[in-house]
Amino acid sequence: MPRLRLIVYIFLTFAALVNLGRRSRTISGAVQRTSDYLKVAQPLPVRRRHVAIISKFNTNGEVYGIVAWTLNRIFTRNPELRGWVKLYTQWDEQRFVELAQELGMVPGEIHPVDDIYDDLARRDFATGENESIDLIWDMRPADKKFQVVCIVHNGLDTTWFGELREWTRRGAMRFLPISEHVAASSRSVLRDLSDMKYNRTELDALYEYVKIDVHYCIADLSSLIVPRDEGNGRGLANVMIQGNFDPKRRDYEGTFSELVASLKEDPAAWGYLADNSGRFEPDPNSIIPPFELHLAGMSGQLDIPLELKNIVKIHWQLSARPFYQVAQSMDVIIPSFVSGDRYYEAVGSSTIHTAVECNVPLLASRRLREAYKFLDDAATIVRPQAISEIQALKALRTGIPPQLATNNPMFVADVERMMAQGWRRPREGFEKLKERLWTANEQVIDRILRDE
């Protein structure tokens, strides 16, 4: 049987995979402010104490690294469990994980992915390096079977389900999506597969018994965040789009086109003067600093219009610390999703998590808020969908509401609410939101450790 193709998997076992010793791990003071519901006098009735987290993707550190952090918090506060977490990747560099190590969020050592085969087997029996993980599971005694937890980013991706069946059939598989809408799409896919009446392969996979929980990819980056002077009165000037430079995922072309049109119509509103070459130069007399659009990405290539050469700032392949420092310096983050339902129905976007982590307001539509249900008013600026992101940014920057030829009272009320609330959001609201999400994460991981 071929080896299991590792995507982002968590293995939860009864016995230690390897002897890591008993070194204690520390967590930051900000982490210790989270819910203390797991502080108990007696050992928790958990069945899983030793966790291996495996990934073959260099860009998923901010996903599985935060799961490791949640586990680390639980085990640190409950040393009687003698629990630990071990990370395996195939990459020498994991940008977020390296930062998480610096901040004391995750264990200090990262292991090669292929070590998992020997480590899963070593405790109870010897096995050759080419043994498959499902065979290792079969050979383990009944009281030492491990669970496999898949962290799901795209609820509609079924390309790996051929390997999934071996685990769902055993009752050894759980899903851990990164948002509620990803969880909903995963449930829908599993229900459809479970109802394929004449497909014995899918029916025998027993998909209906796969348990699905949500774990939010929100880290504690408080030590990186420079406190804002909320009373300085400076207008909206710095906005970021975060994501690979892929026009199929982010609406760069539409954003550029609309921004150029708005600049030509009213350059002063953005803090610029038009010159004879078609470019826009900063207006030295502007009351508000000139508007800048920051683009942060790891791959791809973009053609920046000539008119925007002084306005668009590229942040290319930043390591974790510089990236988060740039992000937290923004006034607003915009999703700039392309039209369609990808990021609203099935796929989780790291842009949403970045904004919350960095205490930066996210310009959101009601549709986005309905998809990412964990968001609240403390972290978002809600615009009517009839108003584009560029129109909303201009209105928030100038204080002049956009004009549409409609008297629809619901639309008018939404515009008035957006303008009245403005674009600033106090730090305290973000901190309360993050505390709530960290507590929810701990409750979910606690259930998984208990096999609930």
Side-chain angles (χ1 to χ4, degrees):
M1 189 176 295
R3 287 189 177 189
L4 181 66
R5 179 166 59 93
L6 300 175
I7 303 176
V8 178
Y9 289 143
I10 307 174
F11 292 84
L12 302 107
T13 71
F14 294 111
L17 304 182
V18 292
N19 181 14
L20 295 182
R22 301 256 180 108
R23 291 180 295 170
S24 63
R25 302 292 184 186
T26 60
I27 55 178
S28 70
V31 173
Q32 292 170 340
R33 293 198 306 269
T34 59
S35 170
D36 61 356
Y37 85 101
L38 285 175
K39 294 180 180 178
V40 293
Q42 300 298 323
L44 290 174
V46 300
R47 301 188 66 199
R48 313 290 178 181
R49 294 177 174 84
H50 306 118
V51 183
I53 299 181
I54 303 97
S55 174
K56 282 194 172 183
F57 293 99
N58 193 31
T59 56
N60 279 348
E62 73 279 6
V63 176
Y64 70 80
I66 296 172
V67 175
W69 178 50
T70 302
L71 285 156
N72 211 29
R73 294 202 308 275
I74 293 173
F75 290 149
T76 299
R77 288 203 306 272
N78 296 275
E80 70 277 6
L81 293 178
R82 299 179 182 177
W84 47 256
V85 184
K86 189 173 180 180
L87 302 181
Y88 300 77
T89 84
Q90 70 171 2
W91 297 91
D92 295 330
E93 180 183 12
Q94 283 286 348
R95 292 174 175 85
F96 175 84
V97 173
E98 288 179 343
L99 177 61
Q101 289 171 323
E102 292 178 27
L103 300 178
M105 294 169 60
V106 300
E109 187 176 3
I110 306 297
H111 303 271
V113 133
D114 286 342
D115 284 2
I116 187 62
Y117 298 96
D118 288 337
D119 287 350
L120 281 173
R122 183 178 297 146
R123 183 72 180 183
D124 302 307
F125 56 88
T127 181
E129 64 173 10
N130 291 320
E131 294 286 13
S132 61
I133 289 178
D134 48 359
L135 181 58
I136 293 173
W137 190 94
D138 289 339
M139 296 177 65
R140 274 178 171 250
D143 64 342
K144 289 184 171 58
K145 302 290 189 187
F146 50 82
Q147 283 278 317
V148 180
V149 180
C150 279
I151 304 176
V152 182
H153 172 261
N154 181 350
L156 295 182
D157 181 9
T158 60
T159 57
W160 53 286
F161 273 33
E163 297 154 349
L164 174 70
R165 297 185 193 102
E166 293 297 325
W167 300 99
T168 57
R169 182 175 56 80
R170 291 174 170 87
M173 170 67 74
R174 301 180 72 127
F175 279 12
L176 194 62
I178 64 175
S179 182
E180 290 90 346
H181 71 290
V182 180
S185 63
S186 294
R187 290 190 185 96
S188 179
V189 167
L190 292 178
R191 288 194 195 105
D192 289 345
L193 291 173
S194 299
D195 203 32
M196 297 183 70
K197 299 178 182 179
Y198 307 108
N199 188 324
R200 196 68 250 171
T201 299
E202 301 295 6
L203 292 177
D204 289 345
L206 305 178
Y207 292 124
E208 66 182 297
Y209 300 106
V210 175
K211 295 179 180 179
I212 300 177
D213 298 283
V214 175
H215 186 277
Y216 307 103
C217 305
I218 305 294
D220 179 13
L221 303 178
S222 55
S223 62
L224 301 182
I225 297 176
V226 178
R228 295 174 182 267
D229 181 2
E230 301 294 346
N232 63 8
R234 179 181 62 77
L236 189 158
N238 292 288
V239 171
M240 185 174 82
I241 299 174
Q242 179 251 325
N244 290 332
F245 300 151
D246 182 355
K248 294 181 180 179
R249 298 188 177 190
R250 300 290 186 271
D251 187 18
Y252 295 108
E253 293 180 4
T255 299
F256 294 161
S257 176
E258 190 171 359
L259 181 55
V260 168
S262 185
L263 280 159
K264 290 180 177 179
E265 178 185 15
D266 188 4
W270 299 97
Y272 287 89
L273 298 170
D275 65 16
N276 295 328
S277 69
R279 297 192 186 194
F280 294 90
E281 300 292 338
D283 181 356
N285 298 317
S286 177
I287 299 174
I288 305 174
F291 177 84
E292 292 183 350
L293 179 61
H294 298 256
L295 310 179
M298 298 299 295
S299 63
Q301 189 173 4
L302 292 174
D303 293 324
I304 309 300
L306 174 67
E307 298 93 334
L308 300 181
K309 294 296 184 181
N310 293 327
I311 299 168
V312 171
K313 311 297 179 183
I314 301 292
H315 304 276
W316 171 256
Q317 293 189 340
L318 296 179
S319 58
R321 184 180 290 272
F323 166 75
Y324 286 112
Q325 288 172 337
V326 168
Q328 66 91 23
S329 71
M330 295 295 110
D331 296 326
V332 173
I333 290 176
I334 62 174
S336 192
F337 296 155
V338 295
S339 298
D341 58 7
R342 174 182 174 89
Y343 287 107
Y344 301 103
E345 302 293 336
V347 181
S349 170
S350 59
T351 293
I352 313 303
H353 303 99
T354 297
V356 174
E357 289 172 320
C358 295
N359 294 357
V360 178
L362 180 75
L363 184 58
S365 64
R366 186 171 287 109
R367 184 186 188 189
L368 187 144
R369 282 284 298 271
E370 290 172 354
Y372 298 83
K373 297 183 184 301
F374 62 88
L375 293 173
D376 60 20
D377 291 342
T380 56
I381 306 160
V382 180
R383 63 175 176 87
Q385 286 182 235
I387 295 176
S388 70
E389 289 172 333
I390 293 299
Q391 287 176 311
L393 291 172
K394 180 181 177 182
L396 292 165
R397 176 180 166 87
T398 62
I400 302 173
Q403 302 298 315
L404 263 70
T406 178
N407 292 320
N408 184 312
M410 293 180 288
F411 170 79
V412 172
D414 277 350
V415 172
E416 290 177 347
R417 186 179 302 109
M418 180 185 77
M419 299 303 297
Q421 292 177 348
W423 61 269
R424 295 181 180 84
R425 295 294 182 270
R427 178 188 179 107
E428 293 74 16
F430 285 99
E431 296 306 323
K432 289 180 181 179
L433 171 60
K434 285 184 280 191
E435 292 282 354
R436 173 169 62 83
L437 298 179
W438 294 334
T439 296
N441 284 348
E442 290 180 7
Q443 292 169 341
V444 162
I445 296 300
D446 181 42
R447 287 199 300 271
I448 293 176
L449 294 176
R450 296 169 186 262
D451 276 357
E452 291 181 0

Short mmCIF file of all heavy atoms in Angstrom, two decimals, residues 219-253:
data_model
loop_
_atom_site.label_atom_id
_atom_site.label_comp_id
_atom_site.label_asym_id
_atom_site.label_seq_id
_atom_site.Cartn_x
_atom_site.Cartn_y
_atom_site.Cartn_z
N ALA A 219 -3.05 34.12 15.71
CA ALA A 219 -1.90 34.04 16.62
C ALA A 219 -1.87 35.25 17.54
O ALA A 219 -2.55 36.26 17.31
CB ALA A 219 -0.60 33.96 15.83
N ASP A 220 -1.08 35.16 18.59
CA ASP A 220 -0.85 36.28 19.49
C ASP A 220 0.42 37.00 19.04
O ASP A 220 1.53 36.56 19.31
CB ASP A 220 -0.70 35.79 20.93
CG ASP A 220 -0.43 36.92 21.90
OD1 ASP A 220 -0.59 38.08 21.50
OD2 ASP A 220 -0.06 36.65 23.05
N LEU A 221 0.23 38.10 18.33
CA LEU A 221 1.35 38.88 17.82
C LEU A 221 1.46 40.21 18.55
O LEU A 221 2.00 41.19 18.02
CB LEU A 221 1.18 39.12 16.32
CG LEU A 221 1.05 37.87 15.44
CD1 LEU A 221 0.85 38.26 13.99
CD2 LEU A 221 2.25 36.95 15.60
N SER A 222 0.97 40.26 19.78
CA SER A 222 0.92 41.53 20.52
C SER A 222 2.30 42.14 20.71
O SER A 222 2.45 43.36 20.76
CB SER A 222 0.24 41.33 21.88
OG SER A 222 0.88 40.31 22.62
N SER A 223 3.33 41.30 20.81
CA SER A 223 4.67 41.85 21.03
C SER A 223 5.22 42.54 19.78
O SER A 223 6.20 43.29 19.86
CB SER A 223 5.63 40.74 21.46
OG SER A 223 5.75 39.75 20.45
N LEU A 224 4.60 42.30 18.61
CA LEU A 224 5.05 42.93 17.38
C LEU A 224 4.27 44.20 17.06
O LEU A 224 4.68 44.98 16.19
CB LEU A 224 4.88 41.96 16.19
CG LEU A 224 5.62 40.63 16.25
CD1 LEU A 224 5.36 39.85 14.97
CD2 LEU A 224 7.10 40.84 16.46
N ILE A 225 3.14 44.39 17.71
CA ILE A 225 2.24 45.47 17.35
C ILE A 225 2.60 46.75 18.09
O ILE A 225 2.67 46.78 19.32
CB ILE A 225 0.78 45.08 17.63
CG1 ILE A 225 0.38 43.88 16.76
CG2 ILE A 225 -0.16 46.26 17.38
CD1 ILE A 225 -1.00 43.35 17.03
N VAL A 226 2.84 47.80 17.34
CA VAL A 226 3.13 49.10 17.92
C VAL A 226 1.81 49.78 18.24
O VAL A 226 0.96 49.95 17.34
CB VAL A 226 3.95 49.98 16.94
CG1 VAL A 226 4.20 51.35 17.54
CG2 VAL A 226 5.26 49.27 16.60
N PRO A 227 1.57 50.18 19.48
CA PRO A 227 0.29 50.81 19.83
C PRO A 227 0.05 52.05 18.97
O PRO A 227 0.93 52.87 18.74
CB PRO A 227 0.47 51.17 21.31
CG PRO A 227 1.52 50.23 21.81
CD PRO A 227 2.45 50.02 20.66
N ARG A 228 -1.18 52.18 18.49
CA ARG A 228 -1.55 53.34 17.69
C ARG A 228 -1.98 54.49 18.58
O ARG A 228 -2.55 54.27 19.65
CB ARG A 228 -2.71 52.98 16.75
CG ARG A 228 -2.38 51.94 15.69
CD ARG A 228 -3.64 51.57 14.94
NE ARG A 228 -3.37 50.55 13.95
CZ ARG A 228 -3.07 50.81 12.68
NH1 ARG A 228 -3.00 52.05 12.27
NH2 ARG A 228 -2.85 49.83 11.83
N ASP A 229 -1.74 55.69 18.12
CA ASP A 229 -2.27 56.88 18.78
C ASP A 229 -3.66 57.12 18.22
O ASP A 229 -3.81 57.72 17.15
CB ASP A 229 -1.36 58.09 18.53
CG ASP A 229 -1.87 59.34 19.24
OD1 ASP A 229 -2.89 59.25 19.94
OD2 ASP A 229 -1.24 60.41 19.07
N GLU A 230 -4.69 56.60 18.92
CA GLU A 230 -6.04 56.66 18.40
C GLU A 230 -6.56 58.09 18.28
O GLU A 230 -7.52 58.37 17.58
CB GLU A 230 -6.99 55.83 19.29
CG GLU A 230 -6.60 54.36 19.41
CD GLU A 230 -6.72 53.61 18.10
OE1 GLU A 230 -7.34 54.14 17.16
OE2 GLU A 230 -6.19 52.49 18.01
N GLY A 231 -5.93 59.01 18.99
CA GLY A 231 -6.45 60.37 18.99
C GLY A 231 -5.70 61.32 18.08
O GLY A 231 -5.88 62.53 18.17
N ASN A 232 -4.84 60.79 17.19
CA ASN A 232 -4.03 61.70 16.38
C ASN A 232 -4.81 62.34 15.24
O ASN A 232 -4.35 63.30 14.64
CB ASN A 232 -2.78 60.98 15.84
CG ASN A 232 -3.13 59.83 14.90
OD1 ASN A 232 -4.28 59.63 14.53
ND2 ASN A 232 -2.12 59.04 14.54
N GLY A 233 -5.98 61.80 14.93
CA GLY A 233 -6.83 62.44 13.94
C GLY A 233 -6.36 62.30 12.50
O GLY A 233 -6.96 62.90 11.60
N ARG A 234 -5.29 61.55 12.24
CA ARG A 234 -4.80 61.41 10.86
C ARG A 234 -5.82 60.66 10.01
O ARG A 234 -6.46 59.71 10.46
CB ARG A 234 -3.47 60.65 10.87
CG ARG A 234 -2.90 60.44 9.47
CD ARG A 234 -1.59 59.67 9.52
NE ARG A 234 -1.76 58.34 10.05
CZ ARG A 234 -2.28 57.31 9.38
NH1 ARG A 234 -2.75 57.48 8.17
NH2 ARG A 234 -2.35 56.13 9.94
N GLY A 235 -5.96 61.08 8.78
CA GLY A 235 -6.92 60.44 7.90
C GLY A 235 -6.41 59.11 7.36
O GLY A 235 -5.23 58.76 7.47
N LEU A 236 -7.31 58.38 6.73
CA LEU A 236 -6.99 57.07 6.16
C LEU A 236 -6.00 57.25 5.01
O LEU A 236 -6.28 57.96 4.05
CB LEU A 236 -8.29 56.41 5.68
CG LEU A 236 -8.25 54.95 5.24
CD1 LEU A 236 -9.66 54.37 5.33
CD2 LEU A 236 -7.71 54.79 3.84
N ALA A 237 -4.86 56.58 5.10
CA ALA A 237 -3.82 56.76 4.08
C ALA A 237 -3.18 55.47 3.60
O ALA A 237 -2.71 55.40 2.47
CB ALA A 237 -2.73 57.70 4.61
N ASN A 238 -3.12 54.44 4.45
CA ASN A 238 -2.39 53.21 4.10
C ASN A 238 -3.33 52.01 4.10
O ASN A 238 -3.93 51.68 5.12
CB ASN A 238 -1.24 52.98 5.08
CG ASN A 238 -0.15 54.03 4.95
OD1 ASN A 238 0.59 54.04 3.98
ND2 ASN A 238 -0.09 54.93 5.92
N VAL A 239 -3.42 51.37 2.94
CA VAL A 239 -4.32 50.23 2.77
C VAL A 239 -3.53 49.08 2.15
O VAL A 239 -2.64 49.31 1.30
CB VAL A 239 -5.51 50.61 1.87
CG1 VAL A 239 -6.33 49.39 1.49
CG2 VAL A 239 -6.39 51.64 2.57
N MET A 240 -3.84 47.85 2.55
CA MET A 240 -3.10 46.69 2.05
C MET A 240 -4.03 45.65 1.46
O MET A 240 -5.11 45.38 1.98
CB MET A 240 -2.27 46.05 3.17
CG MET A 240 -1.37 44.90 2.68
SD MET A 240 -0.26 44.25 3.96
CE MET A 240 -1.36 43.12 4.81
N ILE A 241 -3.57 45.04 0.36
CA ILE A 241 -4.13 43.80 -0.18
C ILE A 241 -3.08 42.73 0.05
O ILE A 241 -1.94 42.88 -0.37
CB ILE A 241 -4.44 43.90 -1.69
CG1 ILE A 241 -5.46 45.00 -1.95
CG2 ILE A 241 -4.95 42.57 -2.21
CD1 ILE A 241 -5.70 45.25 -3.44
N GLN A 242 -3.47 41.65 0.70
CA GLN A 242 -2.52 40.58 1.02
C GLN A 242 -2.91 39.32 0.28
O GLN A 242 -4.08 38.91 0.29
CB GLN A 242 -2.50 40.32 2.52
CG GLN A 242 -1.55 39.21 2.94
CD GLN A 242 -2.29 37.96 3.40
OE1 GLN A 242 -3.35 38.05 4.01
NE2 GLN A 242 -1.73 36.80 3.11
N GLY A 243 -1.95 38.69 -0.37
CA GLY A 243 -2.21 37.47 -1.11
C GLY A 243 -1.22 37.33 -2.24
O GLY A 243 -0.59 38.31 -2.65
N ASN A 244 -1.04 36.13 -2.74
CA ASN A 244 -0.15 35.96 -3.89
C ASN A 244 -0.64 36.81 -5.04
O ASN A 244 -1.84 37.06 -5.19
CB ASN A 244 -0.10 34.49 -4.30
CG ASN A 244 0.63 33.64 -3.29
OD1 ASN A 244 1.51 34.14 -2.58
ND2 ASN A 244 0.28 32.37 -3.19
N PHE A 245 0.28 37.28 -5.86
CA PHE A 245 -0.08 38.19 -6.94
C PHE A 245 -0.73 37.41 -8.09
O PHE A 245 -0.19 37.29 -9.19
CB PHE A 245 1.15 38.95 -7.42
CG PHE A 245 1.80 39.79 -6.34
CD1 PHE A 245 3.15 40.05 -6.36
CD2 PHE A 245 1.03 40.31 -5.30
CE1 PHE A 245 3.74 40.83 -5.37
CE2 PHE A 245 1.60 41.07 -4.31
CZ PHE A 245 2.96 41.34 -4.33
N ASP A 246 -1.91 36.90 -7.79
CA ASP A 246 -2.64 36.04 -8.72
C ASP A 246 -3.98 36.71 -9.03
O ASP A 246 -4.86 36.79 -8.17
CB ASP A 246 -2.87 34.67 -8.08
CG ASP A 246 -3.59 33.70 -9.00
OD1 ASP A 246 -4.01 34.12 -10.09
OD2 ASP A 246 -3.74 32.52 -8.62
N PRO A 247 -4.17 37.21 -10.26
CA PRO A 247 -5.42 37.89 -10.60
C PRO A 247 -6.64 36.98 -10.58
O PRO A 247 -7.77 37.47 -10.65
CB PRO A 247 -5.15 38.42 -12.01
CG PRO A 247 -4.06 37.56 -12.56
CD PRO A 247 -3.22 37.19 -11.38
N LYS A 248 -6.44 35.67 -10.47
CA LYS A 248 -7.57 34.77 -10.35
C LYS A 248 -8.09 34.69 -8.91
O LYS A 248 -9.16 34.14 -8.67
CB LYS A 248 -7.18 33.37 -10.84
CG LYS A 248 -6.86 33.29 -12.32
CD LYS A 248 -6.51 31.87 -12.73
CE LYS A 248 -6.18 31.81 -14.22
NZ LYS A 248 -5.81 30.42 -14.64
N ARG A 249 -7.30 35.23 -7.98
CA ARG A 249 -7.69 35.19 -6.57
C ARG A 249 -7.99 36.59 -6.01
O ARG A 249 -8.88 36.75 -5.18
CB ARG A 249 -6.60 34.53 -5.73
CG ARG A 249 -6.34 33.08 -6.11
CD ARG A 249 -5.39 32.43 -5.12
NE ARG A 249 -5.19 31.02 -5.42
CZ ARG A 249 -4.56 30.17 -4.60
NH1 ARG A 249 -4.08 30.60 -3.44
NH2 ARG A 249 -4.42 28.91 -4.93
N ARG A 250 -7.22 37.56 -6.44
CA ARG A 250 -7.44 38.93 -5.98
C ARG A 250 -7.73 39.81 -7.20
O ARG A 250 -7.11 39.66 -8.26
CB ARG A 250 -6.20 39.47 -5.24
CG ARG A 250 -5.81 38.69 -3.99
CD ARG A 250 -6.81 38.87 -2.86
NE ARG A 250 -6.35 38.23 -1.63
CZ ARG A 250 -6.60 36.98 -1.31
NH1 ARG A 250 -7.32 36.21 -2.14
NH2 ARG A 250 -6.15 36.48 -0.17
N ASP A 251 -8.63 40.75 -7.00
CA ASP A 251 -9.06 41.59 -8.12
C ASP A 251 -8.12 42.78 -8.28
O ASP A 251 -8.53 43.94 -8.13
CB ASP A 251 -10.50 42.06 -7.87
CG ASP A 251 -11.08 42.80 -9.07
OD1 ASP A 251 -10.52 42.64 -10.17
OD2 ASP A 251 -12.08 43.52 -8.89
N TYR A 252 -6.88 42.50 -8.60
CA TYR A 252 -5.90 43.58 -8.77
C TYR A 252 -6.28 44.48 -9.95
O TYR A 252 -6.23 45.71 -9.83
CB TYR A 252 -4.51 42.99 -9.00
CG TYR A 252 -3.96 42.23 -7.81
CD1 TYR A 252 -3.85 40.84 -7.84
CD2 TYR A 252 -3.56 42.89 -6.66
CE1 TYR A 252 -3.35 40.14 -6.76
CE2 TYR A 252 -3.06 42.20 -5.57
CZ TYR A 252 -2.96 40.82 -5.62
OH TYR A 252 -2.47 40.12 -4.54
N GLU A 253 -6.63 43.88 -11.06
CA GLU A 253 -6.92 44.68 -12.25
C GLU A 253 -8.10 45.62 -12.01
O GLU A 253 -8.06 46.80 -12.36
CB GLU A 253 -7.19 43.75 -13.43
CG GLU A 253 -5.96 42.95 -13.88
CD GLU A 253 -6.27 42.05 -15.05
OE1 GLU A 253 -7.42 42.11 -15.56
OE2 GLU A 253 -5.37 41.29 -15.48
#
